[in-house]
């Protein structure tokens, strides 16, 4: 019995250490993602190459599915499973296009991670600064990191100078649905049009 | 008579505001950006289109030309305009009970206007003064618990709310010393022209500072009107709370129910 208890204790300690070894701190994750994006935005690449690289980085580091659900707001609960699947597919294409095209305009952005604040088990906010250039002043950028799975943290929102991109997108989507008498298909049509452009 | 009409308009706007923002219940609560009603959406969207056309035809080209000016010229102009805006910020600091900030901003204004030559050079910043935060009467009404009421798009001036529009009227009712000195002041140095010039320059300066971000937003929005509205309301909300990123955004409970992994 004693040996069994020692074995179980040993197992627990070993497993907890394993999880510590593989967990990634939110601030380290943000800095490493920023470094990857910075490399992708290097002027040695063409705009098309930049966009492809940014899409790859976003697929790996951003919780696109989670943002899509958040962005749909209350409508998420009122649509069928088929519509939800269609939405997920469309949102992913929309997000990758919009995200990469927004970022591709920048060249070699320099971001410094300043601090982090754990909100709860699921979220940590990482504060950073986009260093000023001749053309624009310093910009504060906060990152909402989803940390439920510590081995695989994901970005869920960017808060630029206090303005949440996810919330802006949510209100944009909600406005389209409301302007069309609550018809979710109007949003799908707008997303398809954006993806095609 | 003019003052009477303006006072009447403010009272009317704020009365409408209380009703519009509270669904008939006159409780003074702070509303978040998602709860601000777009009561006049059709008119707002039409005005927004008009403003967009005006921007493309006149404001954006002027802002682009302005951006070509040497960086020190633009920085000096921006500093001088900020310095002038502190004439509205200081009374609002006092109205919000922020007496320390009012003192700091008064010191900053005196130093920059004199040593900094009419505010062109931000000498106070070099002396270690804290970062300048603009305040206005709309924000003060917000801190008093007045809800924003309906969202409005004003011709030329752009996004606003009933509360913020009412706040702007206070400027011309004696709340803005720069307006009083240039329009009502009986002096030979200042006139309506100087006042109008500073207001136009403030608009051009803002547009020039945001050329890339506005273009980017326009290009990547599926409803540009809704994006601008959301950003404006979030910005006002955080300015009223005087925090970078309001607590409501940081602790947005809607994120908690999103399971994706």
């Amino acid at each position: 019995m004693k040996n069994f208890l020692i074995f179980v204790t040993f197992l627990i300690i070993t497993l907890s250490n394993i999880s510590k070894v593989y967990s990634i701190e939110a601030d380290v994750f943000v800095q490493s993602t920023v470094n990857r994006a910075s490399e992708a935005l290097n002027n040695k690449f063409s705009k098309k190459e930049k966009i492809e690289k940014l899409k790859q980085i976003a697929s790996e580091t951003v919780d696109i599915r989670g943002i899509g659900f958040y962005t749909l707001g209350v409508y998420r609960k009122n649509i069928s499973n088929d519509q939800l699947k269609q939405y997920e597919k469309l949102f992913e294409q929309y997000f990758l296009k919009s995200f990469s095209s927004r970022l591709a305009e920048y060249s070699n952005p320099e971001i410094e991670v300043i601090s982090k604040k754990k909100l709860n088990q699921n979220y940590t906010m990482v504060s950073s600064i986009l260093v000023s250039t001749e053309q624009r002043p310093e910009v504060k950028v906060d990152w909402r990191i989803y940390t439920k799975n510590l081995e695989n943290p994901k970005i869920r929102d960017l808060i630029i100078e206090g303005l949440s991109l996810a919330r802006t997108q949510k209100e944009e989507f909600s406005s389209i649905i409301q302007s069309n008498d609550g018809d979710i298909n109007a949003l799908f049509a707008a997303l398809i049009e954006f993806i095609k452009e | 008579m003019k003052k009477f009409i303006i006072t009447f308009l403010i009272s009317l706007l704020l009365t409408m505001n209380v009703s519009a923002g509270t669904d008939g219940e006159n409780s003074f609560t702070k509303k978040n950006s998602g709860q601000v009603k777009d009561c006049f959406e059709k008119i707002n969207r039409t005005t927004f289109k008009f403003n967009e056309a005006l921007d493309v035809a006149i404001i954006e080209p002027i802002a682009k030309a302005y951006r070509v000016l040497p960086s020190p010229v633009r920085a000096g102009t921006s500093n001088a305009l900020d310095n002038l805006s502190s004439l509205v910020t200081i009374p609002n600091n006092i109205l919000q009970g922020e007496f320390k900030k009012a003192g700091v901003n008064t010191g900053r204004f005196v130093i920059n206007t004199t040593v900094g030559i009419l505010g062109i050079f931000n000498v106070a910043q070099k002396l270690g003064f804290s970062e300048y935060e603009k305040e206005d009467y709309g924000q003060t009404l917000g801190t008093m618990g007045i809800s924003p009421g309906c969202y409005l798009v004003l011709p030329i001036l752009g996004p606003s709310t009933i509360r913020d529009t009412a706040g702007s009227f206070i400027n011309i009712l004696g709340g803005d010393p720069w307006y009083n000195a240039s329009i009502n002041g009986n002096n030979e140095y200042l006139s309506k022209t100087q006042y109008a010039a500073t207001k136009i320059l403030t608009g051009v300066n803002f547009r020039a500072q945001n050329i890339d971000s506005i273009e980017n937003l326009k290009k990547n929005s599926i409803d540009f009107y809704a994006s601008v509205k959301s950003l404006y309301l979030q910005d006002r909300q955080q300015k009223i709370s005087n925090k970078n990123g309001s607590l409501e955004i940081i602790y947005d409970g809607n994120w908690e129910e999103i399971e994706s992994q």
Side-chain angles (χ1 to χ4, degrees):
Chain A
M1 183 63 187
K2 195 181 161 191
N3 280 346
F4 176 73
L5 281 175
I6 292 170
F7 173 72
V8 170
T9 314
F10 175 75
L11 198 67
I12 291 169
I13 292 169
T14 312
L15 287 176
S16 65
N17 276 339
I18 286 172
S19 85
K20 271 181 191 164
V21 167
Y22 289 103
S23 70
I24 304 168
E25 290 296 327
D27 51 347
V28 175
F29 164 69
V30 169
Q31 191 66 66
S32 110
T33 306
V34 163
N35 293 346
R36 283 180 68 190
S38 220
E39 171 59 24
L41 290 167
N42 193 301
N43 283 335
K44 69 183 175 192
F45 301 118
S46 68
K47 193 171 177 187
K48 201 179 168 192
E49 285 174 322
K50 283 181 187 175
I51 287 175
E52 283 314 307
K53 283 177 187 293
L54 287 169
K55 279 185 180 175
Q56 180 64 32
I57 296 167
S59 309
E60 290 166 21
T61 59
V62 180
D63 181 11
I64 300 174
R65 192 164 173 253
I67 297 173
F69 287 164
Y70 171 84
T71 307
L72 203 50
V74 290
Y75 301 101
R76 189 175 77 247
K77 292 165 188 165
N78 304 330
I79 58 175
S80 68
N81 279 342
D82 285 345
Q83 282 177 317
L84 197 60
K85 276 180 191 160
Q86 189 190 355
Y87 170 74
E88 273 183 51
K89 211 173 154 186
L90 285 174
F91 183 80
E92 185 177 1
Q93 293 175 59
Y94 157 79
F95 181 87
L96 288 173
K97 184 178 176 185
S98 160
F99 173 86
S100 53
S101 137
R102 273 177 205 211
L103 277 187
E105 303 293 332
Y106 294 91
S107 55
N108 293 329
E110 198 184 327
I111 289 188
E112 286 173 9
V113 171
I114 307 293
S115 61
K116 65 175 171 179
K117 184 183 176 191
K118 187 175 174 178
L119 300 182
N120 54 36
Q121 202 60 37
N122 288 345
Y123 292 103
T124 296
M125 295 296 289
V126 176
S127 299
S128 69
I129 278 174
L130 178 61
V131 178
S132 64
T133 64
E134 183 82 348
Q135 291 300 318
R136 53 156 180 76
E138 181 181 281
V139 180
K140 287 175 193 153
V141 184
D142 293 330
W143 309 64
R144 178 185 292 276
I145 307 299
Y146 186 48
T147 48
K148 190 175 182 187
N149 180 356
L150 288 170
E151 294 163 27
N152 191 18
K154 295 272 183 183
I155 300 163
R156 276 199 163 174
D157 193 9
L158 284 188
I159 300 167
I160 300 169
E161 289 288 337
L163 310 176
S164 156
L165 291 189
R167 177 175 282 221
T168 307
Q169 205 162 60
K170 183 183 182 181
E171 288 172 7
E172 194 183 0
F173 283 16
S174 167
S175 170
I176 292 170
I177 298 169
Q178 276 175 20
S179 308
N180 289 278
D181 301 321
D183 184 6
I184 192 85
N185 291 310
L187 175 65
F188 292 172
L191 290 173
I192 290 167
E193 199 180 326
F194 181 86
I195 296 162
K196 272 188 195 164
E197 273 174 15
Chain B
M1 183 61 188
K2 191 178 153 196
K3 280 202 173 178
F4 170 76
I5 293 169
I6 293 169
T7 313
F8 175 73
L9 270 174
I10 292 177
S11 315
L12 188 71
L13 282 169
L14 288 176
T15 314
M16 276 167 67
N17 188 25
V18 169
S19 312
T22 59
D23 289 330
E25 289 175 29
N26 292 343
S27 57
F28 291 99
T29 51
K30 286 175 190 168
K31 299 283 175 178
N32 69 39
S33 62
Q35 288 171 314
V36 175
K37 286 183 180 173
D38 200 347
C39 322
F40 316 106
E41 189 175 346
K42 278 190 178 167
I43 303 168
N44 282 344
R45 281 189 183 268
T46 309
T47 315
F48 186 79
K49 274 187 187 160
F50 166 76
N51 287 350
E52 255 193 290
L54 191 75
D55 181 64
V56 171
I58 301 169
I59 304 168
E60 195 185 4
I62 295 174
K64 279 185 174 165
Y66 175 80
R67 214 160 70 145
V68 178
L69 292 173
S71 173
V73 176
R74 280 181 287 128
T77 311
S78 192
N79 287 342
L81 292 169
D82 273 351
N83 190 50
L84 212 49
S85 76
S86 59
L87 289 171
V88 172
T89 297
I90 295 162
N92 280 289
N93 287 145
I94 296 167
L95 288 171
Q96 290 174 28
E98 303 265 16
F99 299 108
K100 196 180 163 192
K101 277 189 184 173
V104 171
N105 285 332
T106 306
R108 185 198 324 272
F109 177 74
V110 171
I111 293 170
N112 285 347
T113 307
T114 52
V115 188
I117 314 169
L118 298 177
I120 294 169
F121 301 100
N122 193 349
V123 182
Q125 191 186 39
K126 290 194 171 65
L127 292 174
F129 275 60
S130 56
E131 201 178 328
Y132 173 58
E133 284 171 15
K134 276 185 199 173
E135 295 287 343
D136 56 51
Y137 291 100
Q139 288 179 55
T140 298
L141 291 172
T143 59
M144 288 172 174
I146 308 282
S147 65
C150 296
Y151 177 68
L152 290 178
V153 180
L154 303 173
I156 305 166
L157 300 174
S160 186
T161 59
I162 290 182
R163 178 191 59 208
D164 294 341
T165 306
S168 304
F169 275 121
I170 300 175
N171 285 334
I172 50 177
L173 269 182
D176 179 359
W178 172 237
Y179 178 86
N180 299 338
S182 50
I183 306 269
N184 296 330
N186 192 14
N187 67 65
E188 55 187 295
Y189 303 108
L190 297 171
S191 67
K192 281 178 187 172
T193 317
Q194 274 91 348
Y195 181 77
T198 54
K199 289 293 152 191
I200 292 168
L201 209 50
T202 304
V204 171
N205 187 44
F206 172 81
R207 188 66 182 87
Q209 284 174 343
N210 293 285
I211 280 185
D212 297 329
S213 41
I214 291 174
E215 200 177 303
N216 208 322
L217 186 70
K218 208 172 185 177
K219 204 171 111 188
N220 291 293
S221 292
I222 48 175
D223 185 348
F224 185 42
Y225 167 85
S227 293
V228 171
K229 176 183 150 193
S230 172
L231 291 170
Y232 173 77
L233 295 174
Q234 286 184 58
D235 185 49
R236 291 301 288 174
Q237 201 181 345
Q238 69 160 331
K239 277 180 176 159
I240 289 166
S241 68
N242 282 337
K243 287 194 177 80
N244 177 42
S246 68
L247 291 176
E248 197 210 322
I249 285 174
I250 294 167
Y251 293 100
D252 183 348
N254 292 316
W255 282 112
E256 295 305 331
E257 55 188 56
I258 308 290
E259 288 282 347
S260 62
Q261 289 184 336

